[in-house]
Amino acid sequence: MWKTILRRVLIMIPEVIVLSVLIFLLAKMMPGDPFSGMITPQTSAAQMHRLKLEAGLYDPWYVQYWHWVVRLFHGDLGMSYQFHTPVAHLIKSRAMNTLWLSLLTVILSYALAIPLGLIAGRYEDSKKDKAIQIYNYISYAIPAFVVYLLGLWFFGYILGWFPTSGSVSLGADGFWAVFFSRIAHMILPAILMALLSTTGVVQYLRSEIIDAKRQDYVKTARAKGVREKKVFSKHIFRNSLLPIAAFAGYSITGLLGGSIFIETVFSYPGMGLLFVNSITNRDYAVITVLVLLFGVLNLIGTLLSDIILSIVDPRIRIE
């Protein structure tokens, strides 16, 4: 198992290198430069030329890429020209907000998706199954930003049940006050994201249960007179749920890079909102690091999913 994990990690190295080259070249192709947002009526052409010269923007792209990679390995992610602070400190301050939001979303997603998938699979083609299928179709068809805006308007502004922006209330003082304030700011975005992210898990679990019901070991258990409730819980449910556990690793890392819409709508200070603001202000140092981070997180999520599946499923042995 450990040899396979090591081999998978080694395979990720060239993938990360190719990803970093593509991200760097795409960033270079964007209009303007990192200093475009610093231009004022008092800025002279000589000052701009000096800044670009000091930043190495006149060097060939491969030289600039090499310098960028070397700085990355030394922990120097560059300087944000928008916030006038190191990119590493900026991402560190936003990453925890996105991480907690993603964890809460995954918990709520599985808490909703697993019961729905079990009901849909166990009562195939029933009214319950058809109602769940309709919910899946609607949640899949409606654009995410529409749901987020409607949720923010109704539950935030009309009913006033949840905060509409930020991650902590200004008046929160003390550990528990800050803790519950963070939960209050996260709960509505997490619920809305969970409602839209259950579709895949529900459909997959439903299909697994329907397929398991037709397996020979289930037919044998029924032929031996085993109660239907025990057949479902011991044979069908257990074997159908194991692959779902593998989605957990990918779900968490996927949400870390996929919370752009929700953080923008709710003005939630996470990496998604930072990414949008960086694009708007052409903060290339932040953009390149965030896109690279999102890509690496997706690769790590795939690796974690394989590892989790090999651990929870005894039929799989990684050697």
Side-chain angles (χ1 to χ4, degrees), residues 212-258:
K213 289 193 299 186
R214 295 179 172 86
Q215 297 299 317
D216 291 336
Y217 61 84
V218 174
K219 296 179 181 178
T220 302
R222 286 172 174 162
K224 290 180 178 180
V226 180
R227 291 182 304 171
E228 184 64 26
K229 184 177 181 180
K230 189 174 182 180
V231 170
F232 184 82
S233 62
K234 186 176 181 179
H235 298 283
I236 299 175
F237 172 71
R238 184 180 299 178
N239 291 322
S240 300
L241 193 60
L242 290 177
I244 301 299
F247 287 170
Y250 185 79
S251 297
I252 295 175
T253 56
L255 286 171
L256 285 173

Side-chain angles (χ1 to χ4, degrees), residues 187-212:
I187 191 68
L188 180 57
I191 290 174
L192 295 176
M193 290 180 68
L195 289 174
L196 297 181
S197 61
T198 57
T199 304
V201 179
V202 171
Q203 289 296 104
Y204 188 80
L205 184 56
R206 177 182 181 273
S207 300
E208 287 289 316
I209 291 175
I210 293 174
D211 181 66

Side-chain angles (χ1 to χ4, degrees), residues 143-145 148 193 257-267 272-273 276:
F145 67 89
Y148 299 156
M193 290 180 68
S259 57
I260 295 175
F261 281 146
I262 195 74
E263 291 185 3
T264 303
V265 171
F266 283 83
S267 297
L273 182 60
V276 173

Side-chain angles (χ1 to χ4, degrees), residues 2 25 39 44-45 50 61 77 83 96 131 134-135 190 198 205 272:
W2 292 109
L25 291 178
I39 298 177
S44 64
R50 179 177 56 80
W61 72 267
L77 305 183
F83 297 96
M96 292 307 299
I134 292 174
Y135 161 74
T198 57
L205 184 56

Side-chain angles (χ1 to χ4, degrees), residues 29-40:
M29 294 170 61
M30 292 178 65
D33 55 64
F35 304 103
S36 298
M38 302 174 58
I39 298 177
T40 64

